Amino acid sequence: QKEVEQDPGPLSVPEGAIVSLNCTYSNSAFQYFMWYRQYSRKGPELLMYTYSSGNKEDGRFTAQVDKSSKYISLFIRDSQPSDSATYLCAMNDNQGGKLIFGQGTELSVKP
Amino acid sequence: GAVVSQHPSWVICKSGTSVKIECRSLDFQATTMFWYRQFPKQSLMLMATSNEGSKATYEQGVEKDKFLINHASLTLSTLTVTSAHPEDSSFYICSASGLAGVSYEQYFGPGTRLTVT
């Protein structure tokens, strides 16, 4: 069993839809949770960084962490074609330490 | 967010030659840098972790004599692929982590595409 599980998709939604992306994990020591967006042939771009449980909102993006269920989510409101990319969840148990990545979910937002 | 650059963005080399890839943190001091490789449609695979002034820590299965990592300063790390072979062709990405503000987010470079012929 992988430490971090993420459905690779692909996920296709119409423009304007609310997108829900999720990851589950098995290591209860993880405390720092990140979501990255990666466009094709580019490096990952940090979208959200969350410590421990709770919600964090930044514009159209909301990150949720439920440590009791070992489950994290990223919601994208009013999705746009420019949101089409691969979304990677990542986490670690100490600041500055190596990240454990999910497989990435490929998202396509259709105009 | 912090900016990390990589050079070159794309390189083609002949089998048996060596290639050096540079990773620079442009606006912060990176106490730790990480090197990843990524195959098409796959997630990132960590190769090694390097701290400034120390030897790199390699992940299991990564040949340290083949993938030489140097982290000589708080803004520069290099990855040298020695005696490259076609199976080394991949997308190599670095990331940097440090005292960017008050947290330790990891910021990624744009990646280097290596093709070995």
Side-chain angles (χ1 to χ4, degrees):
Chain A
Q1 182 189 4
K2 294 180 182 177
E3 277 193 286
V4 179
E5 298 276 1
Q6 183 178 8
D7 186 341
L11 177 64
S12 182
V13 302
E15 184 175 354
I18 296 175
V19 176
S20 173
L21 304 167
N22 311 292
C23 289
T24 59
Y25 62 95
S26 57
N27 188 344
S28 58
F30 289 147
Q31 295 187 75
Y32 303 92
F33 304 92
M34 284 135 273
W35 284 96
Y36 287 88
R37 176 175 63 194
Q38 186 177 25
Y39 292 112
S40 181
R41 296 174 178 258
K42 301 290 184 183
E45 172 193 6
L46 180 64
L47 285 177
M48 303 290 280
Y49 179 91
T50 311
Y51 169 67
S52 194
S53 285
N55 294 358
K56 186 174 184 179
E57 187 173 320
D58 184 1
R60 295 185 295 112
F61 299 92
T62 299
Q64 287 186 351
V65 175
D66 182 349
K67 289 192 70 181
S68 63
S69 302
K70 297 191 182 68
Y71 188 88
I72 69 171
S73 301
L74 177 71
F75 297 96
I76 307 174
R77 291 183 297 281
D78 188 25
S79 57
Q80 303 294 310
S82 58
D83 295 327
S84 298
T86 296
Y87 290 79
L88 296 147
C89 65
M91 51 199 78
N92 61 13
D93 59 2
N94 66 87
Q95 286 184 326
K98 68 177 184 181
L99 294 175
I100 308 300
F101 280 90
Q103 291 175 266
T105 299
E106 185 179 350
L107 171 68
S108 177
V109 181
K110 304 293 187 184
Chain B
V3 180
V4 177
S5 70
Q6 274 184 250
H7 178 80
S9 56
W10 183 41
V11 58
I12 301 175
C13 72
K14 292 191 174 183
S15 187
T17 61
S18 295
V19 174
K20 181 184 283 189
I21 302 170
E22 290 187 352
C23 176
R24 293 183 184 271
S25 57
L26 298 185
D27 52 2
F28 70 104
Q29 293 184 323
T31 52
T32 307
M33 285 186 169
F34 304 84
W35 286 95
Y36 298 83
R37 66 187 297 182
Q38 185 177 36
F39 293 103
K41 301 287 187 180
Q42 293 189 25
S43 191
L44 288 80
M45 184 189 82
L46 180 65
M47 299 174 66
T49 302
S50 73
N51 292 295
E52 184 262 339
S54 303
K55 287 186 177 180
T57 301
Y58 290 81
E59 295 298 300
Q60 191 172 8
V62 177
E63 299 175 61
K64 60 180 68 176
D65 293 331
K66 181 167 186 61
F67 298 100
L68 301 178
I69 292 171
N70 183 276
H71 192 165
S73 77
L74 285 172
T75 59
L76 174 64
S77 176
T78 60
L79 167 67
T80 302
V81 183
T82 62
S83 187
H85 290 289
E87 57 266 29
D88 298 323
S89 298
S90 188
F91 192 49
Y92 292 87
I93 313 174
C94 72
S95 70
S97 176
L99 292 175
V102 294
S103 55
Y104 289 85
E105 294 102 331
Q106 213 175 107
Y107 294 93
F108 284 82
T112 296
R113 187 159 304 280
L114 170 64
T115 301
V116 185
T117 61

